[in-house]
Amino acid sequence: MTPSPETAAAAVPPITATAIATCLGRGAAPHLAAMRSGRSGLAPCDWGGLPIACHIGRVAGIEADPFPGDLAAWDNRATRLALAALEADGITGRIAAARSRWGAARCAVVIGTSTSGVETLERAYRARADGAPLAAGYSLRHHNDHQAVAAFLQRLCGLDGPAYTISTACSSSAKALVDAVQLIEAGLADAVLCGGVDSLCRTSLAGFDALELVSRAPCRPCDAARDGLSIGEGAAFLLVEREGSGPRLAGFGESTDGTSMSTPPEDGAGAHAAMAAALQRAGIAPAAVGYVNLHGTATPANDSAECAAVARLFGAQVPVSSLKGLVGHTLGAAGAVEAVMALIAMEAGLLPGNAGLATPDPEIACAVLAESREAPLSHLLSNAFGFGGNNCALVLAR
Amino acid sequence: MKLSARIGGVGLAGPGLADWPALSAAIAGAPWAPEPGWQPQPACLPSRAARRLSPTIRLALMAAEQIGPALPAEAAWVFASSVGEGETLNVILEALRAEAPAIQPLRFQNAVHNAAAGQWSIAAGLRGPSTSLAAHDDTAGAALLKALMQLRLERLPVGLVVYDAPMPPPLHEKRPFGLPLAVALALVPEGPEAPGLRLSARLAPAATHPPTPPGTEIGRALAASGNPAAALLPLLELLAAERSGVAALGLQGTQVLALGLEAA
C-alpha cells in the first residue's frame, strides 16, 4: 500500500534546526532577502591569485573570524566556513539541547564535502621547494583529510555518535541528509548533525576552468546564453532528530548515470530516475510538488538534460529555478546549501526566482521562474548531481 | 532495528593477493609476501582504458569486479576510502604551484573521491544508488554501517568496496600506507535461499568493545601497513575459516560497530 503523503512524511524524523553561510551572508535572513529580491552574491574573482577571469561566491570575513583556541589544529578555510554557518539562527543552542536530550553517544555527524581543507594543503605545496617534503607543521588529518570537517564538528559540538563523510562530488551533502534520516530510522542515532561544507580552492577553480565549464560572467542558469558555472563556497547544516517539530525529508532518490564521469545523458535519465524514486518514496504524485529547485549549474549540457527530465516527470507547469545565480555552485556543499535555502523559502511562502536569467532558453521546456513570487508550498523537490554520474533528489515537506 | 546480511561474495586486491582465495589461503597459513612492483589490473576494462585511470581506481575496480556476479544490476554500491585519489591530487597540487596552472581535464574529473565508484558504474553499466564515504582510520566501520543500513532500509543488495592505496611523496610522509589493499563484500538480504555466512551488527560502547586485533600473521602484517581497509581483517579471518565470532570496528566516536558472524 502506498502511504498517504501525511503518514509518509510524519514517519520521517524532523529537521529541527538549520544553519547556512554563503556569499549572501550568514543565517536565514540574508538568504531570504536575496531570494526575494534576486540580488546575487556573485562578484568578480578576487581570490586565489589565478589568471582565470570569472565570478565567485566568496563568504566575506571568514579569514578574520575568531577560531576556538582548543581546536586551532583544525583551523582552515573549510572549518571557518562551518563556524560561519553555525554562528547564526541559534543552531548551536539546538545542538546542545539535542545532546542533552539524547546523550552525546546518540548524536551522529554526517558531512558532505568534495575538497575539505585542501586549500591549506595547496598553500603548503606552494610554500615548499621542488621535491621537498611538506612543512613539518602541516597535518593532513586536520586539513585535507576528507573527515577533517566532520571530526572538527564532532569535537566542537561534543557529539560522540558515529561520524563520517560523504564525498560524491556535487551531490555529497544532499546525500548527507539521506544518511541522517537513515541513521535515525535504523536506530543507530537519535540526532544527526548533517550538512555540507566546501571552500574556494585553487583545485576547483583551475579544474573546472580546465574542463571549460567556468563562465567569464556571473552564471546564468537556464538562460539561452548560459556558458558555464560560477564557483561559490558555503556551509549549511541540518539537525535531524528522532522527535520534534520542523520540515521533513519526505522522500529521496539516488541513482547513477553509469555513462560518463562529467556529462549527463542528454535526456537526463539518471536525474529522472532519482526524482521519480524520491516521489515514490514520499508517496506523492508529481502534481503535489509545488517547486523544483534545479541543480542548474548553468553549463549548457547540464541544464538541458536536467530540465528535459523535470519536464518529462512533472510536465511543463511546475515552477522551477536554480539558486546558483545567487550563490554560485558550492560544489559538495550545494545539496545542503540549496536544501536549506529552499526550506527558508518554503517557510516564508516564497518561490525563489532564477537569478541571472535574461533570455529563457527556448529549448528548455520548464516553467523557469524569472522572478520570485509568493505562493504557499507544502512539498518541494531539490536536485543535486555530481561527477561520477551521481544523482540525488530530495523531497522536502512542511 | 536489526542490521544483518548474508555475505554472498568476497573480493580482494593487494600485492600478492589477487583475489579472495589467495587471502584465504594466506590466512590458513600459506606463505605470503608482498609482490614487489605489483600493479592492480582490473579485467573489466581494456588495458588501454585502465592505464588512463589512477592505481587507486584500478585497485577498487579489481575488488569490485570480483563480487559483481554475486549482485543484481539494481544493487546499491558503497565505496569507501580514507584518502581517495591521493596520486591524482598530488599531480594537481604540483601543477597548481605554477602561476598559470595547466590541469588535464580528465585528471580533474577523476580527482573526486567518488572517481572509483563512477568508473565502476560506467564499466558495469550500473544505474542504482551509489555512495562514497570516508572516516579516516574508521573508514571500514563507517562503510559497513552504511552498507548494512542501506540494505535494511532500502531492501537492496549492497556491493561494498573498501580500499586505500599509498600516496606519493610528499603526501605519503603525512599518512603512510605500506601497501595498497581493497576488500569487497557482496551483502545480500537474509532469506531461506540466501547463500553465505550471516553477518549481524549493532552499536556498542567502545569502552567495553575494543577494536579486535587480527589473529593471523598476514592479518597482522596487513594491519601494520596502516592501510585503513585492513581494519576488516579480523572479519575476513573469521570468514576464511567459516567460523562464528565477533569483531568490532571503530566509528570515530565513543561507539563501535560490533559485528557478529555466524557460520551455518
Side-chain angles (χ1 to χ4, degrees), chain B residues 74-103:
Chain B
E74 68 272 18
W77 285 79
V78 176
F79 279 70
S81 169
S82 173
V83 302
E85 296 300 320
E87 175 133 344
T88 303
L89 177 67
N90 177 59
V91 174
I92 290 174
L93 290 170
E94 288 289 359
L96 284 173
R97 298 174 67 211
E99 290 299 313
I103 295 177

Side-chain angles (χ1 to χ4, degrees), chain A residues 53-243:
Chain A
C54 62
H55 282 62
I56 57 170
R58 176 180 179 178
V59 178
I62 53 171
E63 299 87 352
D65 284 342
F67 198 92
D70 56 333
L71 297 175
W74 270 272
D75 186 349
N76 60 52
R77 194 167 183 91
T79 51
R80 282 179 171 270
L81 284 171
L83 286 172
L86 290 174
E87 80 179 32
D89 299 337
I91 191 169
T92 50
R94 303 297 293 271
I95 295 168
R99 184 177 179 273
S100 333
R101 178 174 184 186
W102 305 110
R106 296 290 297 170
C107 297
V109 176
V110 185
I111 297 303
T113 185
S114 65
T115 56
S116 191
V118 82
E119 194 269 334
T120 301
L121 180 60
E122 292 171 354
R123 284 189 280 111
Y125 263 72
R126 288 158 71 197
R128 77 190 228 281
D130 287 351
L134 292 167
Y138 179 76
S139 170
L140 186 151
R141 178 180 183 187
H142 293 94
H143 300 305
N144 72 290
D145 192 85
H146 294 281
Q147 180 73 356
V149 176
F152 168 73
L153 289 169
Q154 240 187 334
R155 285 157 181 80
L156 181 75
C157 302
L159 308 180
D160 293 337
Y164 58 91
T165 301
I166 304 285
S167 195
T168 53
C170 303
S171 60
S172 299
S173 59
K175 292 167 82 79
L177 180 57
V178 172
D179 277 71
V181 168
Q182 287 183 330
L183 282 164
I184 293 174
E185 288 188 339
L188 300 167
D190 294 319
V192 184
L193 178 63
C194 72
V197 178
D198 253 336
S199 86
L200 289 172
C201 60
R202 290 163 62 101
T203 304
S204 297
L205 281 164
F208 280 102
D209 189 61
L211 283 166
E212 301 183 333
L213 292 176
V214 175
S215 177
R216 303 293 163 222
C219 70
R220 291 162 284 182
C222 301
D223 193 279
R226 69 184 180 278
D227 62 354
L229 50 84
S230 298
I231 290 175
E233 64 181 349
F237 300 110
L238 305 97
L239 181 64
V240 184
E241 293 187 71
R242 180 169 299 285
E243 290 167 9

Side-chain angles (χ1 to χ4, degrees), chain B residues 140-209:
Chain B
L144 209 41
L145 176 90
K146 170 66 182 179
L148 290 169
M149 194 164 75
Q150 189 90 340
L151 184 141
R152 175 67 182 82
L153 296 172
E154 307 301 303
R155 300 182 186 90
L156 285 173
V158 179
L160 171 65
V161 185
V162 184
Y163 62 100
D164 262 301
M167 295 184 285
L171 294 170
H172 176 78
E173 291 80 7
K174 297 293 184 182
R175 186 140 168 73
F177 303 147
L179 47 74
L181 183 66
V183 179
L185 298 174
L187 301 172
V188 299
E190 287 197 79
E193 303 296 311
L197 275 64
R198 178 175 184 271
L199 178 69
S200 64
R202 64 188 172 88
L203 294 187
T208 53
H209 292 71

